[in-house]
Amino acid sequence: MKILVVDDEKDIQVLFEQRFRKEIRSGEMNFVFAYSGNEALFYLGQHKHEAVLILSDINMPGMSGLQLLHEIKSNYKTPPPTVMMITAYGDEESYNKAMSEGANDFLTKPLDFNLLKEKLKNI
Amino acid sequence: MSLEFILVIVVIRQLRKKLETAKAFPKWDKILLTLTIAAVCLLALQIAFSGYTSLIIWLSYLIWFYLIYIVFSRNEYITAKPLIFAILPYIILSLVNDILQQASKEIYKSWSNFLDAGIFFSIVWMVAMWIIGNKQKKALEKEKQIRLEEERQSKLTAMLKDQLEIQVAERTAELTQQKEELQHALTELKSTQAQLIQSEKMASLGELTAGIAHEIQNPLNFVNNFSEVSSELLEEMQAELDADNKEEAFNIAADVKQNLEKIIYHGKRADAIVKGMLQHSRSSSDKKEPVDINALTDEYLRLSYHGLRAKDKSFNATMNTDFDGSIGKINIVPQDIGRVLLNLFTNAFYSVSAKKKNLGNDYDPAIWVSTKKEVNKIIIKVRDNGTGIPQKVLDKIYQPFFTTKPTGEGTGLGLSLSYDIITKMHGGTITAETKENEFAEFTIELPV
């Protein structure tokens, strides 16, 4: 399973690689990282239909996670990739906005990786 | 010679009139009146016995001398003396004339020309005295009039002066009251100003809270997860060591060490944010301390950006920073300079956000922040490509309570306080350069 993680915090890569080290070692999961919305769109443009799951931060300089979500949901329809939003804004407004834009799930920081793993297994 | 009697009557009348004897000396008035009556009677007698009646003439002289005696003996008649002097020569000459006539016809005849001339001159004298006296009297009266007028004027002046003094006293009281009212108002204004400064700080703190929450959650995410994963890694390391897999155990140890460094880094990041927040809300201590202006600028830029993002999820902007690493630490009041920066950033983001709402996707909001060290000063520039500032409001932007934001969105104190902080507290300058609908650039120069 190829997963694209989008966040402007660079340490997120080390964190994911350590948290999912077993899954990565077994080849069960494959992570790609992008540090901005534009970078994520560029990657998706280059590697069509590769990433089945996108985990995106909302609050990023430049293109926000919600804009990215909007772009993905309107440009990549068949098959639509699963998009989960991960944000430090745990308020209801952010949640509603993300859901109305078509997000498949909504997680808040600090991220509970056990919960995330649980969700990934059920996809 | 009936002239003496007429003269007596006239003189007495004059005396009574001039000295107002009826009022001032009723006793003498009676005497004078009696004398007048006597003179009138004698005159009547003289006319009745038409001819030479020496007794009557002598009586007339008696009246005369008595009158003269009165005038010269009594002080209250002093003003009547000129009148007597006017008449005296005539009386004396008449007397001499009458005496000579009675005494010796011979002598009288030989002297009569002289006596007639003398009487004539004494009459002239009398008339002249009368004219002079009249003139003097008129002059005196005129003078009296002038004096009266002067007195009236001075009374009027005194009255006006009194009125003026009352008015002055009233005005002074009014002014004193006004002064007290103004002083009271000033005191109130000062306390209101202090309150406003505090509420402006709190308002900007409110703008910050969402940013602060976000800025704390992110480092916390790393602190929590890196520590959890490190504990897992340590378990794995133990297992590797049990399996005598030394190399793998070293690798894991290196990872754990790296994780701990990240935990420290992100822990400090959260700490700095909370400290900055506390500092921002605290009332200014006015104490300058060495501050890394680049770090301060970066921190407030992030805070204000996330603050705005928290309020408006659709908002975003490209932030371009260019920090001059050679600046080092400079002496400033960090929370105050922080407020200035926060204010400039908030304004910049507000401006690009407003423009974005108008133009939509064709517009890329961007903000540039730079620091630069020059001789004896450092320069901080905050530029945005937003709506710019219209020329007509450009010279008002530092005025207290001036705001272009809708009611409730801006206190109008941000730039005014910023101006005070930069110019008065730090001896620097703050200037704006702008083109409407294109850009706005604020430049702060701080002496070092």
Side-chain angles (χ1 to χ4, degrees):
Chain A
M1 180 158 62
K2 193 150 203 169
I3 299 167
L4 173 63
V5 180
V6 191
D7 200 316
D8 61 318
E9 298 270 357
K10 298 225 157 65
D11 279 347
I12 209 86
Q13 179 168 359
V14 185
L15 185 64
F16 268 78
E17 279 170 356
Q18 288 194 6
R19 277 296 198 176
F20 288 98
R21 63 193 179 284
K22 282 175 194 155
E23 290 80 356
I24 292 168
R25 225 179 282 149
S26 67
E28 194 184 326
M29 286 178 190
N30 189 3
F31 284 92
V32 186
F33 296 89
Y35 301 114
S36 72
N38 282 323
E39 234 177 271
L41 284 180
F42 181 75
Y43 177 84
L44 289 174
Q46 296 284 306
H47 310 84
K48 276 191 178 133
H49 309 306
E50 259 186 38
V52 289
L53 178 65
I54 297 157
L55 298 175
S56 175
D57 185 21
I58 289 183
N59 199 333
M60 293 179 292
M63 183 186 288
S64 80
L66 292 174
Q67 276 174 296
L68 176 67
L69 172 66
H70 181 79
E71 290 288 318
I72 292 169
K73 288 293 175 185
S74 46
N75 292 332
Y76 300 89
K77 285 184 177 156
T78 47
T82 306
V83 182
M84 288 188 186
M85 304 311 289
I86 301 171
T87 177
Y89 297 135
D91 60 302
E92 208 164 313
E93 199 198 324
S94 299
Y95 175 84
N96 292 337
K97 191 96 195 270
M99 287 321 208
S100 70
E101 286 282 357
N104 300 82
D105 214 328
F106 188 89
L107 298 166
T108 54
K109 286 181 187 174
L111 197 52
D112 183 346
F113 274 87
N114 295 327
L115 184 73
L116 178 62
K117 278 183 189 174
E118 206 56 42
K119 286 185 188 266
L120 292 184
K121 270 174 197 158
N122 293 331
I123 287 173
Chain B
M1 289 298 278
S2 52
L3 191 60
E4 282 89 347
F5 296 110
I6 296 166
L7 267 176
V8 165
I9 296 162
V10 170
V11 167
I12 292 174
R13 211 188 117 70
Q14 283 288 317
L15 277 175
R16 290 181 64 206
K17 206 173 134 190
K18 207 170 181 177
L19 302 171
E20 294 175 339
T21 47
K23 260 193 212 162
F25 323 103
K27 191 180 142 200
W28 289 104
D29 191 55
K30 255 181 202 166
I31 293 168
L32 289 173
L33 205 62
T34 318
L35 286 175
T36 310
I37 292 162
V40 171
C41 290
L42 288 171
L43 182 61
L45 277 172
Q46 198 189 28
I47 293 163
F49 296 96
S50 64
Y52 197 72
T53 318
S54 54
L55 180 72
I56 296 169
I57 289 172
W58 294 121
L59 276 173
S60 83
Y61 286 118
L62 268 179
I63 296 174
W64 269 118
F65 288 122
Y66 183 56
L67 204 58
I68 290 163
Y69 165 74
I70 293 169
V71 170
F72 280 88
S73 65
R74 324 256 351 152
N75 269 336
E76 47 269 49
Y77 291 119
I78 200 156
T79 48
K81 276 180 184 172
L83 188 71
I84 302 299
F85 280 132
I87 299 161
L88 203 58
Y90 173 75
I91 302 288
I92 291 166
L93 282 171
S94 288
L95 182 65
V96 171
N97 189 40
D98 285 340
I99 290 169
L100 277 177
Q101 216 170 9
Q102 295 286 317
S104 158
K105 292 251 193 244
E106 292 295 311
I107 299 167
Y108 176 70
K109 268 195 181 153
S110 61
W111 283 87
S112 106
N113 282 342
F114 295 107
L115 285 171
D116 283 348
I119 286 171
F120 173 73
F121 281 116
S122 73
I123 292 171
V124 171
W125 163 263
M126 197 160 66
V127 172
M129 283 297 271
W130 181 74
I131 291 170
I132 291 166
N134 249 10
K135 263 192 185 165
Q136 273 179 343
K137 204 175 125 194
K138 273 186 187 160
L140 272 172
E141 225 140 77
K142 215 175 176 182
E143 212 172 288
K144 201 177 162 193
Q145 280 289 321
I146 290 169
R147 240 199 337 269
L148 277 175
E149 181 65 19
E150 273 173 2
E151 233 166 79
R152 210 175 58 85
Q153 287 285 349
S154 74
K155 260 188 198 164
L156 200 71
T157 315
M159 203 179 70
L160 282 175
K161 202 182 132 205
D162 284 350
Q163 273 183 352
L164 213 65
E165 249 160 44
I166 291 168
Q167 276 184 344
V168 167
E170 276 172 10
R171 296 278 152 82
T172 311
E174 256 173 57
L175 281 176
T176 314
Q177 203 199 341
Q178 276 179 349
K179 189 197 132 213
E180 266 162 29
E181 276 170 14
L182 282 175
Q183 214 146 30
H184 182 69
L186 185 71
T187 322
E188 272 193 359
L189 268 177
K190 272 186 184 162
S191 82
T192 312
Q193 190 193 29
Q195 281 172 8
L196 276 171
I197 290 174
Q198 191 57 24
S199 70
E200 162 64 23
K201 274 187 205 168
M202 287 303 158
S204 54
L205 186 67
E207 277 170 19
L208 282 186
T209 34
I212 287 163
H214 180 270
E215 285 298 281
I216 290 175
Q217 296 289 53
N218 267 320
L220 217 58
N221 183 36
F222 290 117
V223 172
N224 286 2
N225 281 305
F226 274 123
S227 40
E228 265 181 47
V229 87
S230 294
S231 115
E232 283 173 24
L233 285 175
L234 286 176
E235 275 170 32
E236 270 179 40
M237 189 171 87
Q238 223 153 17
E240 297 292 347
L241 283 174
D242 285 343
D244 219 12
N245 215 339
K246 245 186 175 175
E247 203 183 329
E248 195 54 36
F250 276 132
N251 283 342
I252 294 172
D255 277 353
V256 171
K257 188 170 182 283
Q258 185 200 10
N259 288 358
L260 290 177
E261 275 162 11
K262 289 200 184 297
I263 289 167
I264 293 167
Y265 170 76
H266 289 288
K268 279 185 179 165
R269 194 178 141 195
D271 180 52
I273 289 157
V274 173
K275 276 204 180 115
M277 179 183 74
L278 289 176
Q279 221 164 33
H280 183 84
S281 64
R282 208 180 300 147
S283 45
S284 172
S285 63
D286 291 353
K287 226 173 129 187
K288 288 181 186 171
E289 50 189 276
V291 174
D292 180 348
I293 190 77
N294 290 342
L296 188 81
T297 310
D298 195 44
E299 182 189 328
Y300 276 96
L301 180 62
R302 290 179 70 89
L303 285 177
S304 54
Y305 176 73
H306 290 305
L308 206 74
R309 280 289 282 262
K311 273 198 275 186
D312 180 6
K313 298 291 180 307
S314 65
F315 170 74
N316 70 69
T318 314
M319 288 182 285
N320 307 286
T321 53
D322 178 16
F323 295 133
D324 183 347
S326 71
I327 292 173
K329 290 191 172 183
I330 59 164
N331 259 325
I332 52 168
V333 185
Q335 60 265 50
D336 283 334
I337 295 293
R339 274 166 60 202
V340 174
L341 290 169
L342 180 70
N343 187 254
L344 293 182
F345 296 149
T346 310
N347 286 348
F349 284 128
Y350 189 90
S351 173
V352 293
S353 152
K355 194 171 173 182
K356 179 82 182 169
K357 274 178 193 137
N358 280 337
L359 297 181
N361 285 332
D362 297 335
Y363 168 66
D364 290 319
I367 282 168
W368 294 263
V369 181
S370 68
T371 58
K372 198 167 188 298
K373 188 178 169 67
E374 280 188 11
V375 189
N376 294 333
K377 64 182 176 189
I378 68 136
I379 296 169
I380 307 167
K381 280 181 193 283
V382 179
R383 185 189 172 101
D384 66 75
N385 64 350
T387 54
I389 306 163
Q391 280 299 324
K392 60 177 181 187
V393 304
L394 193 57
D395 38 340
K396 289 191 209 153
I397 55 174
Y398 302 116
Q399 285 175 12
F401 306 110
F402 178 79
T403 178
T404 54
K405 293 177 184 172
T407 314
E409 280 193 38
T411 59
L413 285 174
L415 276 178
S416 130
L417 289 175
S418 299
Y419 186 83
D420 281 358
I421 289 168
I422 296 298
T423 57
K424 288 188 189 157
M425 290 177 61
H426 291 85
T429 57
I430 177 166
T431 50
E433 206 182 308
T434 179
K435 193 167 180 195
E436 212 173 335
N437 293 320
E438 285 192 18
F439 75 94
E441 183 177 78
F442 281 86
T443 305
I444 296 171
E445 288 189 16
L446 292 173
V448 285

